[in-house]
PDB file of all heavy atoms in Angstrom:
ATOM      1  N   ARG A  52     -38.147 -69.403   1.835  1.00  0.00           N
ATOM      2  CA  ARG A  52     -38.211 -68.867   3.204  1.00  0.00           C
ATOM      3  C   ARG A  52     -38.991 -67.557   3.249  1.00  0.00           C
ATOM      4  O   ARG A  52     -39.771 -67.321   4.168  1.00  0.00           O
ATOM      5  CB  ARG A  52     -36.799 -68.665   3.752  1.00  0.00           C
ATOM      6  CG  ARG A  52     -36.775 -68.224   5.192  1.00  0.00           C
ATOM      7  CD  ARG A  52     -37.396 -69.293   6.107  1.00  0.00           C
ATOM      8  NE  ARG A  52     -37.503 -68.795   7.450  1.00  0.00           N
ATOM      9  CZ  ARG A  52     -38.636 -68.391   8.036  1.00  0.00           C
ATOM     10  NH1 ARG A  52     -39.773 -68.415   7.374  1.00  0.00           N
ATOM     11  NH2 ARG A  52     -38.637 -67.956   9.269  1.00  0.00           N
ATOM     12  N   LEU A  53     -38.796 -66.698   2.258  1.00  0.00           N
ATOM     13  CA  LEU A  53     -39.559 -65.447   2.204  1.00  0.00           C
ATOM     14  C   LEU A  53     -41.054 -65.740   2.062  1.00  0.00           C
ATOM     15  O   LEU A  53     -41.884 -65.104   2.710  1.00  0.00           O
ATOM     16  CB  LEU A  53     -39.070 -64.580   1.049  1.00  0.00           C
ATOM     17  CG  LEU A  53     -37.670 -63.986   1.199  1.00  0.00           C
ATOM     18  CD1 LEU A  53     -37.202 -63.388  -0.127  1.00  0.00           C
ATOM     19  CD2 LEU A  53     -37.622 -62.962   2.311  1.00  0.00           C
ATOM     20  N   GLY A  54     -41.392 -66.709   1.215  1.00  0.00           N
ATOM     21  CA  GLY A  54     -42.783 -67.099   1.045  1.00  0.00           C
ATOM     22  C   GLY A  54     -43.375 -67.665   2.323  1.00  0.00           C
ATOM     23  O   GLY A  54     -44.517 -67.349   2.684  1.00  0.00           O
ATOM     24  N   GLN A  55     -42.623 -68.483   3.049  1.00  0.00           N
ATOM     25  CA  GLN A  55     -43.084 -69.049   4.315  1.00  0.00           C
ATOM     26  C   GLN A  55     -43.352 -67.959   5.348  1.00  0.00           C
ATOM     27  O   GLN A  55     -44.207 -68.112   6.215  1.00  0.00           O
ATOM     28  CB  GLN A  55     -42.070 -70.049   4.864  1.00  0.00           C
ATOM     29  CG  GLN A  55     -41.980 -71.323   4.062  1.00  0.00           C
ATOM     30  CD  GLN A  55     -40.760 -72.156   4.430  1.00  0.00           C
ATOM     31  OE1 GLN A  55     -39.909 -71.750   5.225  1.00  0.00           O
ATOM     32  NE2 GLN A  55     -40.658 -73.333   3.819  1.00  0.00           N
ATOM     33  N   ALA A  56     -42.613 -66.855   5.237  1.00  0.00           N
ATOM     34  CA  ALA A  56     -42.792 -65.746   6.171  1.00  0.00           C
ATOM     35  C   ALA A  56     -43.936 -64.820   5.752  1.00  0.00           C
ATOM     36  O   ALA A  56     -44.200 -63.822   6.410  1.00  0.00           O
ATOM     37  CB  ALA A  56     -41.494 -64.946   6.302  1.00  0.00           C
ATOM     38  N   GLY A  57     -44.587 -65.144   4.635  1.00  0.00           N
ATOM     39  CA  GLY A  57     -45.762 -64.381   4.231  1.00  0.00           C
ATOM     40  C   GLY A  57     -45.556 -63.382   3.113  1.00  0.00           C
ATOM     41  O   GLY A  57     -46.501 -62.713   2.702  1.00  0.00           O
ATOM     42  N   ALA A  58     -44.333 -63.257   2.607  1.00  0.00           N
ATOM     43  CA  ALA A  58     -44.081 -62.307   1.511  1.00  0.00           C
ATOM     44  C   ALA A  58     -44.700 -62.834   0.221  1.00  0.00           C
ATOM     45  O   ALA A  58     -44.814 -64.041   0.017  1.00  0.00           O
ATOM     46  CB  ALA A  58     -42.584 -62.094   1.326  1.00  0.00           C
ATOM     47  N   ARG A  59     -45.110 -61.898  -0.621  1.00  0.00           N
ATOM     48  CA  ARG A  59     -45.494 -62.249  -1.993  1.00  0.00           C
ATOM     49  C   ARG A  59     -44.199 -62.200  -2.795  1.00  0.00           C
ATOM     50  O   ARG A  59     -43.572 -61.141  -2.891  1.00  0.00           O
ATOM     51  CB  ARG A  59     -46.532 -61.269  -2.523  1.00  0.00           C
ATOM     52  CG  ARG A  59     -47.859 -61.381  -1.761  1.00  0.00           C
ATOM     53  CD  ARG A  59     -48.838 -60.367  -2.241  1.00  0.00           C
ATOM     54  NE  ARG A  59     -48.166 -59.058  -2.270  1.00  0.00           N
ATOM     55  CZ  ARG A  59     -48.740 -57.913  -2.026  1.00  0.00           C
ATOM     56  NH1 ARG A  59     -49.998 -57.847  -1.754  1.00  0.00           N
ATOM     57  NH2 ARG A  59     -48.063 -56.787  -2.058  1.00  0.00           N
ATOM     58  N   VAL A  60     -43.822 -63.330  -3.385  1.00  0.00           N
ATOM     59  CA  VAL A  60     -42.488 -63.492  -3.948  1.00  0.00           C
ATOM     60  C   VAL A  60     -42.515 -63.509  -5.472  1.00  0.00           C
ATOM     61  O   VAL A  60     -43.328 -64.204  -6.080  1.00  0.00           O
ATOM     62  CB  VAL A  60     -41.824 -64.789  -3.427  1.00  0.00           C
ATOM     63  CG1 VAL A  60     -40.441 -64.973  -4.027  1.00  0.00           C
ATOM     64  CG2 VAL A  60     -41.757 -64.775  -1.909  1.00  0.00           C
ATOM     65  N   ALA A  61     -41.595 -62.752  -6.048  1.00  0.00           N
ATOM     66  CA  ALA A  61     -41.332 -62.802  -7.490  1.00  0.00           C
ATOM     67  C   ALA A  61     -39.950 -63.395  -7.680  1.00  0.00           C
ATOM     68  O   ALA A  61     -38.962 -62.881  -7.133  1.00  0.00           O
ATOM     69  CB  ALA A  61     -41.392 -61.413  -8.101  1.00  0.00           C
ATOM     70  N   ILE A  62     -39.886 -64.487  -8.426  1.00  0.00           N
ATOM     71  CA  ILE A  62     -38.616 -65.128  -8.740  1.00  0.00           C
ATOM     72  C   ILE A  62     -38.221 -64.703 -10.144  1.00  0.00           C
ATOM     73  O   ILE A  62     -38.971 -64.918 -11.097  1.00  0.00           O
ATOM     74  CB  ILE A  62     -38.725 -66.663  -8.648  1.00  0.00           C
ATOM     75  CG1 ILE A  62     -39.003 -67.076  -7.200  1.00  0.00           C
ATOM     76  CG2 ILE A  62     -37.459 -67.323  -9.187  1.00  0.00           C
ATOM     77  CD1 ILE A  62     -39.218 -68.559  -7.007  1.00  0.00           C
ATOM     78  N   LEU A  63     -37.049 -64.082 -10.260  1.00  0.00           N
ATOM     79  CA  LEU A  63     -36.502 -63.673 -11.553  1.00  0.00           C
ATOM     80  C   LEU A  63     -35.314 -64.573 -11.863  1.00  0.00           C
ATOM     81  O   LEU A  63     -34.444 -64.764 -11.014  1.00  0.00           O
ATOM     82  CB  LEU A  63     -36.055 -62.217 -11.532  1.00  0.00           C
ATOM     83  CG  LEU A  63     -37.049 -61.173 -11.027  1.00  0.00           C
ATOM     84  CD1 LEU A  63     -36.469 -59.779 -11.187  1.00  0.00           C
ATOM     85  CD2 LEU A  63     -38.381 -61.292 -11.715  1.00  0.00           C
ATOM     86  N   ASP A  64     -35.292 -65.108 -13.069  1.00  0.00           N
ATOM     87  CA  ASP A  64     -34.225 -66.024 -13.429  1.00  0.00           C
ATOM     88  C   ASP A  64     -34.046 -66.023 -14.939  1.00  0.00           C
ATOM     89  O   ASP A  64     -34.995 -65.736 -15.674  1.00  0.00           O
ATOM     90  CB  ASP A  64     -34.579 -67.442 -12.944  1.00  0.00           C
ATOM     91  CG  ASP A  64     -33.353 -68.322 -12.766  1.00  0.00           C
ATOM     92  OD1 ASP A  64     -32.767 -68.756 -13.771  1.00  0.00           O
ATOM     93  OD2 ASP A  64     -32.984 -68.561 -11.599  1.00  0.00           O
ATOM     94  N   MET A  65     -32.856 -66.347 -15.400  1.00  0.00           N
ATOM     95  CA  MET A  65     -32.606 -66.493 -16.839  1.00  0.00           C
ATOM     96  C   MET A  65     -33.411 -67.660 -17.402  1.00  0.00           C
ATOM     97  O   MET A  65     -33.806 -67.651 -18.552  1.00  0.00           O
ATOM     98  CB  MET A  65     -31.123 -66.737 -17.106  1.00  0.00           C
ATOM     99  CG  MET A  65     -30.275 -65.494 -17.055  1.00  0.00           C
ATOM    100  SD  MET A  65     -30.597 -64.397 -18.439  1.00  0.00           S
ATOM    101  CE  MET A  65     -29.843 -65.307 -19.774  1.00  0.00           C
ATOM    102  N   ASN A  66     -33.633 -68.669 -16.572  1.00  0.00           N
ATOM    103  CA  ASN A  66     -34.386 -69.841 -16.979  1.00  0.00           C
ATOM    104  C   ASN A  66     -35.846 -69.645 -16.569  1.00  0.00           C
ATOM    105  O   ASN A  66     -36.208 -69.810 -15.401  1.00  0.00           O
ATOM    106  CB  ASN A  66     -33.799 -71.093 -16.325  1.00  0.00           C
ATOM    107  CG  ASN A  66     -34.468 -72.365 -16.767  1.00  0.00           C
ATOM    108  OD1 ASN A  66     -35.678 -72.414 -16.977  1.00  0.00           O
ATOM    109  ND2 ASN A  66     -33.677 -73.409 -16.891  1.00  0.00           N
ATOM    110  N   ARG A  67     -36.677 -69.279 -17.535  1.00  0.00           N
ATOM    111  CA  ARG A  67     -38.084 -68.985 -17.259  1.00  0.00           C
ATOM    112  C   ARG A  67     -38.799 -70.174 -16.620  1.00  0.00           C
ATOM    113  O   ARG A  67     -39.567 -70.004 -15.672  1.00  0.00           O
ATOM    114  CB  ARG A  67     -38.810 -68.574 -18.535  1.00  0.00           C
ATOM    115  CG  ARG A  67     -40.265 -68.195 -18.317  1.00  0.00           C
ATOM    116  CD  ARG A  67     -41.024 -67.933 -19.614  1.00  0.00           C
ATOM    117  NE  ARG A  67     -40.347 -67.022 -20.510  1.00  0.00           N
ATOM    118  CZ  ARG A  67     -40.481 -65.698 -20.505  1.00  0.00           C
ATOM    119  NH1 ARG A  67     -41.284 -65.129 -19.639  1.00  0.00           N
ATOM    120  NH2 ARG A  67     -39.821 -64.956 -21.368  1.00  0.00           N
ATOM    121  N   ALA A  68     -38.538 -71.380 -17.116  1.00  0.00           N
ATOM    122  CA  ALA A  68     -39.206 -72.567 -16.582  1.00  0.00           C
ATOM    123  C   ALA A  68     -38.867 -72.767 -15.106  1.00  0.00           C
ATOM    124  O   ALA A  68     -39.756 -73.042 -14.294  1.00  0.00           O
ATOM    125  CB  ALA A  68     -38.841 -73.804 -17.397  1.00  0.00           C
ATOM    126  N   SER A  69     -37.591 -72.609 -14.741  1.00  0.00           N
ATOM    127  CA  SER A  69     -37.186 -72.736 -13.331  1.00  0.00           C
ATOM    128  C   SER A  69     -37.843 -71.662 -12.475  1.00  0.00           C
ATOM    129  O   SER A  69     -38.284 -71.936 -11.356  1.00  0.00           O
ATOM    130  CB  SER A  69     -35.670 -72.632 -13.192  1.00  0.00           C
ATOM    131  OG  SER A  69     -35.038 -73.732 -13.782  1.00  0.00           O
ATOM    132  N   ALA A  70     -37.897 -70.443 -12.996  1.00  0.00           N
ATOM    133  CA  ALA A  70     -38.539 -69.347 -12.255  1.00  0.00           C
ATOM    134  C   ALA A  70     -40.010 -69.656 -12.016  1.00  0.00           C
ATOM    135  O   ALA A  70     -40.523 -69.466 -10.905  1.00  0.00           O
ATOM    136  CB  ALA A  70     -38.382 -68.035 -13.018  1.00  0.00           C
ATOM    137  N   GLU A  71     -40.690 -70.137 -13.043  1.00  0.00           N
ATOM    138  CA  GLU A  71     -42.117 -70.432 -12.913  1.00  0.00           C
ATOM    139  C   GLU A  71     -42.373 -71.613 -11.986  1.00  0.00           C
ATOM    140  O   GLU A  71     -43.319 -71.590 -11.189  1.00  0.00           O
ATOM    141  CB  GLU A  71     -42.726 -70.667 -14.294  1.00  0.00           C
ATOM    142  CG  GLU A  71     -42.787 -69.393 -15.119  1.00  0.00           C
ATOM    143  CD  GLU A  71     -43.191 -69.610 -16.570  1.00  0.00           C
ATOM    144  OE1 GLU A  71     -43.270 -70.787 -17.015  1.00  0.00           O
ATOM    145  OE2 GLU A  71     -43.431 -68.604 -17.271  1.00  0.00           O
ATOM    146  N   GLU A  72     -41.527 -72.647 -12.057  1.00  0.00           N
ATOM    147  CA  GLU A  72     -41.672 -73.799 -11.165  1.00  0.00           C
ATOM    148  C   GLU A  72     -41.468 -73.387  -9.709  1.00  0.00           C
ATOM    149  O   GLU A  72     -42.229 -73.774  -8.825  1.00  0.00           O
ATOM    150  CB  GLU A  72     -40.685 -74.897 -11.547  1.00  0.00           C
ATOM    151  CG  GLU A  72     -41.019 -75.602 -12.841  1.00  0.00           C
ATOM    152  CD  GLU A  72     -39.885 -76.514 -13.313  1.00  0.00           C
ATOM    153  OE1 GLU A  72     -38.992 -76.860 -12.498  1.00  0.00           O
ATOM    154  OE2 GLU A  72     -39.893 -76.872 -14.503  1.00  0.00           O
ATOM    155  N   GLY A  73     -40.421 -72.612  -9.455  1.00  0.00           N
ATOM    156  CA  GLY A  73     -40.167 -72.130  -8.096  1.00  0.00           C
ATOM    157  C   GLY A  73     -41.292 -71.250  -7.599  1.00  0.00           C
ATOM    158  O   GLY A  73     -41.701 -71.328  -6.434  1.00  0.00           O
ATOM    159  N   ALA A  74     -41.817 -70.426  -8.483  1.00  0.00           N
ATOM    160  CA  ALA A  74     -42.912 -69.528  -8.110  1.00  0.00           C
ATOM    161  C   ALA A  74     -44.168 -70.306  -7.728  1.00  0.00           C
ATOM    162  O   ALA A  74     -44.894 -69.893  -6.817  1.00  0.00           O
ATOM    163  CB  ALA A  74     -43.215 -68.563  -9.252  1.00  0.00           C
ATOM    164  N   GLN A  75     -44.418 -71.409  -8.386  1.00  0.00           N
ATOM    165  CA  GLN A  75     -45.573 -72.238  -8.027  1.00  0.00           C
ATOM    166  C   GLN A  75     -45.441 -72.743  -6.601  1.00  0.00           C
ATOM    167  O   GLN A  75     -46.430 -72.786  -5.869  1.00  0.00           O
ATOM    168  CB  GLN A  75     -45.716 -73.420  -8.989  1.00  0.00           C
ATOM    169  CG  GLN A  75     -46.231 -73.034 -10.347  1.00  0.00           C
ATOM    170  CD  GLN A  75     -46.303 -74.234 -11.291  1.00  0.00           C
ATOM    171  OE1 GLN A  75     -45.827 -75.329 -10.978  1.00  0.00           O
ATOM    172  NE2 GLN A  75     -46.898 -74.013 -12.460  1.00  0.00           N
ATOM    173  N   ARG A  76     -44.224 -73.106  -6.208  1.00  0.00           N
ATOM    174  CA  ARG A  76     -44.005 -73.633  -4.853  1.00  0.00           C
ATOM    175  C   ARG A  76     -44.211 -72.563  -3.781  1.00  0.00           C
ATOM    176  O   ARG A  76     -44.561 -72.888  -2.648  1.00  0.00           O
ATOM    177  CB  ARG A  76     -42.614 -74.248  -4.743  1.00  0.00           C
ATOM    178  CG  ARG A  76     -42.482 -75.568  -5.496  1.00  0.00           C
ATOM    179  CD  ARG A  76     -41.170 -76.266  -5.175  1.00  0.00           C
ATOM    180  NE  ARG A  76     -40.015 -75.661  -5.818  1.00  0.00           N
ATOM    181  CZ  ARG A  76     -39.664 -75.853  -7.091  1.00  0.00           C
ATOM    182  NH1 ARG A  76     -40.392 -76.623  -7.867  1.00  0.00           N
ATOM    183  NH2 ARG A  76     -38.587 -75.279  -7.586  1.00  0.00           N
ATOM    184  N   VAL A  77     -43.982 -71.301  -4.123  1.00  0.00           N
ATOM    185  CA  VAL A  77     -44.149 -70.228  -3.131  1.00  0.00           C
ATOM    186  C   VAL A  77     -45.417 -69.411  -3.377  1.00  0.00           C
ATOM    187  O   VAL A  77     -45.633 -68.398  -2.730  1.00  0.00           O
ATOM    188  CB  VAL A  77     -42.918 -69.291  -3.074  1.00  0.00           C
ATOM    189  CG1 VAL A  77     -41.682 -70.047  -2.653  1.00  0.00           C
ATOM    190  CG2 VAL A  77     -42.702 -68.553  -4.379  1.00  0.00           C
ATOM    191  N   LYS A  78     -46.219 -69.877  -4.329  1.00  0.00           N
ATOM    192  CA  LYS A  78     -47.456 -69.172  -4.699  1.00  0.00           C
ATOM    193  C   LYS A  78     -47.168 -67.725  -5.093  1.00  0.00           C
ATOM    194  O   LYS A  78     -47.888 -66.801  -4.722  1.00  0.00           O
ATOM    195  CB  LYS A  78     -48.492 -69.244  -3.570  1.00  0.00           C
ATOM    196  CG  LYS A  78     -48.929 -70.667  -3.262  1.00  0.00           C
ATOM    197  CD  LYS A  78     -49.939 -70.697  -2.145  1.00  0.00           C
ATOM    198  CE  LYS A  78     -50.416 -72.094  -1.861  1.00  0.00           C
ATOM    199  NZ  LYS A  78     -49.470 -72.966  -1.213  1.00  0.00           N
TER     200      LYS A  78
END
Side-chain angles (χ1 to χ4, degrees):
R52 185 63 187 105
L53 291 169
Q55 290 167 355
R59 294 177 311 214
V60 179
I62 295 176
L63 309 185
D64 203 287
M65 281 290 288
N66 184 323
R67 182 186 310 271
S69 293
E71 291 171 351
E72 289 170 18
Q75 286 178 352
R76 288 190 285 281
V77 298
K78 297 180 178 72

